[in-house]
Amino acid sequence: MSDSASPLNEPAANKKPSANREQWSSRLVFILAATGSAVGLGNIWKFPYITGEFGGGAFVLIYLLCIASIGIPIMMAEIMLGRRGRHDPVTTMKKLAKESGHSRSWGLLGWMGVIAGFLILSYYSVIAGWAMAYVPRMAAGTFVGLDAEAVNSVFSTLVSSPETLIAWHTLFLFMTMSIVARGVRGGLEKAVTYLMPMLFVLLVILIFYAMDTGHFGQGLSYLFNPDFSKISTEGVLSAMGHAFFTLSLGMGAIMVYGSYLPDNTSIAKASISVAFMDTLVALLAGMIIFPIVFANSLEPGAGPGLIFKTLPLAFGQMNYGTFFGTLFFILLVFAAWTSSISLIEPAITWAMKTFQISRVKASVTSGMLVWFMGLFTVFSFNLASDVTISSVISTKYGEFVILKDATAFDFLDYLTSNIMLPLGGLMIAVYAGWLMKKEYSRDELSIGLWFPIWSVLVRYVAPVMVIIVFLNAMGVVAFVRSIMGV
Ligand code: PFF
């Protein structure tokens, strides 16, 4: 790792365990890296499309509630565990458990994170590939003057070609793994310093476009006017799962970033800034996309292709649209890039330590594995789009649908966002809130009078909410209600 390019260049000067581990050069660099991890496809691609699938306002409200009451406290907990452990997630959890006299099986939490990161990256890279594929199309002016139907068909042609998707998936994964292999985060973080604000400026420009569509009010009301009759149990589960996904929580990514954090940095301030910026980007994306949807009589629930069917329409119609559109997709790829690096980082640090192999070897092997896994997602949009699973549990009290006609991509997304990340987050909350000695967490967080509030949130609010949403999604709540006749 070259010193000049790395933010991790200041040896720690403290007495904590593994004190000589490299560290971020400043709090700002940590916030940038964590924001780089959080802001990604989840905000611009996934948030709008799942909001559309689950009917708008009520989903957004639940998502915002989850960010505030579960996301921020768990993010603080995850960063805190990382900083105290100063290792890969598996070793960190084992070490902390030992420190507080608990079972080393807590290492399993780290393990689940490593696997979740693999699985998420496998489809993340395919979708980032779509965004990359749009760069040359935008630059060539493909969308200029096209109507909704024509834009739709550009998207369908892209996803129906496995070769094209594989090519872009390969390129994106190669870009990710080559950064990870070098271990040089600095170069990319420097880029993030400029590119993130640029992405933000472009979103603001697009908001002006959205205001001009004549359907801005309708878009806002769709996003912010909750209609609870539209929200399903699965919608609530997805809102919670997405809060974890978008903040990169529950799988050790933020834990690894926390492990490089200097001791004197305020974890609370950092967590709140990251969550704020992340939420802002997602809401801006929604405020841009839905007015375009309504102005063109498109379907809000169009699924994963939503931004690829709406934004090009806007760029195709606006002044300098070719320029802004090209820049937008380039910036989206960058946002995805800084997230994908953090998705695989837990696996890399773990593999290096466990197998005593070099960073390069760990990166090449994981890259190949992720690449193969990615083929499932590629094919679920074309060759294998009709290979689906449904899991419907029929009881004499009724049917409980957990997955309906899910393709491989749907399944991977459901398993990771809706199950693995919240489960990981739950375990983090339980560990930090119940098992870690209070004196340690109080010392790490140093939030004075706020400590009891954080403590209630991680001990009670977050775990109880996650458990209720899980039970609800498994049909348990409906089952109990139907037995009791309420
Ligand atoms: N937060 C990223 C996004 O919203 O695109 C995705 C992500 C990155 C999830 C890192 C989990 C993670 F550990």
Side-chain angles (χ1 to χ4, degrees):
M1 185 186 299
S2 103
D3 263 5
S4 59
S6 170
L8 309 179
N9 49 15
E10 286 180 7
N14 60 56
K15 63 294 163 199
K16 289 278 170 57
S18 304
N20 56 356
R21 188 173 171 84
E22 297 164 302
Q23 298 195 356
W24 303 107
S25 47
S26 72
R27 179 170 79 109
L28 190 67
V29 178
F30 170 77
I31 292 185
L32 277 174
T35 311
S37 164
V39 175
L41 295 174
N43 307 64
I44 292 171
W45 159 73
K46 194 171 177 190
F47 173 72
Y49 100 73
I50 54 178
T51 298
E53 277 182 347
F54 292 111
F59 175 86
V60 175
L61 186 67
I62 298 171
Y63 157 79
L64 291 175
L65 269 175
C66 289
I67 295 277
S69 59
I70 310 182
I72 295 177
I74 292 187
M75 183 182 271
M76 288 170 62
E78 190 169 337
I79 298 175
M80 174 181 85
L81 298 183
R83 184 167 75 179
R84 193 155 185 97
R86 294 219 185 280
H87 271 290
D88 65 278
V90 181
T91 317
T92 286
M93 287 314 299
K94 282 189 189 161
K95 194 173 126 185
L96 293 181
K98 202 169 146 216
E99 175 189 77
S100 304
H102 298 291
S103 157
R104 283 165 59 89
S105 339
W106 278 94
L108 281 176
L109 167 61
W111 250 101
M112 193 171 69
V114 167
I115 296 171
F118 255 98
L119 297 179
I120 298 177
L121 185 57
S122 78
Y123 70 80
Y124 205 84
S125 162
V126 175
I127 311 292
W130 297 359
M132 282 176 99
Y134 267 52
V135 173
R137 286 168 178 72
M138 273 288 165
T142 308
F143 299 101
V144 176
L146 293 195
D147 62 8
E149 208 173 311
V151 171
N152 241 328
S153 90
V154 174
F155 178 72
S156 315
T157 311
L158 171 71
V159 296
S160 63
S161 158
E163 298 84 2
T164 317
L165 297 193
I166 291 175
W168 290 109
H169 162 56
T170 311
L171 180 59
F172 183 80
L173 204 56
F174 179 77
M175 280 164 48
T176 300
M177 299 322 291
S178 46
I179 296 281
V180 173
R182 269 181 278 156
V184 180
R185 296 184 193 80
L188 211 71
E189 251 85 59
K190 274 190 204 114
V192 175
T193 322
Y194 301 101
L195 296 172
M196 288 288 200
M198 265 166 80
L199 180 66
F200 190 77
V201 170
L202 261 185
L203 288 173
V204 173
I205 294 177
L206 283 169
I207 280 281
F208 282 105
Y209 173 85
M211 284 176 177
D212 218 33
T213 54
H215 289 74
F216 194 61
Q218 195 183 351
L220 286 191
S221 122
Y222 183 78
L223 271 179
F224 297 115
N225 216 345
D227 173 357
F228 284 96
S229 66
K230 284 200 193 143
I231 192 88
S232 58
T233 314
E234 200 195 329
V236 178
L237 177 67
S238 297
M240 181 180 79
H242 189 63
F244 283 96
F245 184 89
T246 193
L247 295 178
S248 308
L249 294 181
M251 53 150 279
I254 289 292
M255 196 185 279
V256 172
Y257 278 16
S259 73
Y260 307 124
L261 191 65
D263 276 328
N264 51 7
T265 313
S266 160
I267 291 179
K269 279 189 201 147
S271 304
I272 292 170
S273 327
V274 174
F276 176 79
M277 287 185 274
D278 187 80
T279 308
L280 189 64
V281 172
L283 294 179
L284 278 176
M287 285 156 65
I288 293 163
I289 283 155
F290 290 107
I292 304 176
V293 166
F294 296 123
N296 294 281
S297 313
L298 295 167
E299 185 44 60
L306 187 66
I307 65 158
F308 297 95
K309 295 173 181 172
T310 47
L311 292 179
L313 257 179
F315 290 123
Q317 290 164 4
M318 66 201 266
N319 292 337
Y320 307 108
T322 300
F323 172 74
F324 285 135
T326 311
L327 191 59
F328 177 84
F329 280 100
I330 292 177
L331 294 174
L332 183 58
V333 172
F334 267 98
W337 201 4
T338 51
S339 301
S340 63
I341 289 167
S342 70
L343 275 166
I344 201 68
E345 188 67 15
I348 300 292
T349 47
W350 169 79
M352 283 165 61
K353 166 133 200 313
T354 311
F355 305 116
Q356 295 291 316
I357 50 173
S358 68
R359 195 165 248 282
V360 173
K361 228 183 210 161
S363 309
V364 172
T365 331
S366 340
M368 285 182 347
L369 271 171
V370 174
W371 186 85
F372 274 110
M373 278 296 305
L375 299 183
F376 283 99
T377 295
V378 166
F379 297 140
S380 61
F381 288 96
N382 37 65
L383 304 179
S385 58
D386 51 357
V387 180
T388 57
I389 54 163
S390 289
S391 109
V392 180
I393 304 168
S394 301
T395 72
K396 62 179 176 181
Y397 302 103
E399 284 199 330
F400 302 111
V401 181
I402 294 180
L403 273 172
K404 187 134 181 43
D405 298 331
T407 60
F409 159 71
D410 297 327
F411 174 72
L412 278 174
D413 179 36
Y414 187 94
L415 176 70
T416 50
S417 303
N418 293 3
I419 299 178
M420 296 177 87
L421 299 186
L423 199 59
L426 173 66
M427 289 166 73
I428 289 171
V430 168
Y431 189 86
W434 292 93
L435 301 183
M436 191 165 180
K437 291 206 175 97
K438 270 229 162 94
E439 57 196 88
Y440 294 161
S441 45
R442 203 186 287 272
D443 173 45
E444 288 288 342
L445 294 176
S446 314
I447 43 175
L449 292 176
W450 291 96
F451 186 79
I453 298 179
W454 173 80
S455 198
V456 168
L457 289 173
V458 284
R459 283 167 77 104
Y460 303 101
V461 179
V464 169
M465 277 173 73
V466 174
I467 290 171
I468 291 181
V469 175
F470 268 159
L471 292 181
N472 206 10
M474 289 188 303
V476 177
V477 173
F479 182 70
V480 172
R481 281 177 63 177
S482 62
I483 298 177
M484 297 170 66
V486 285

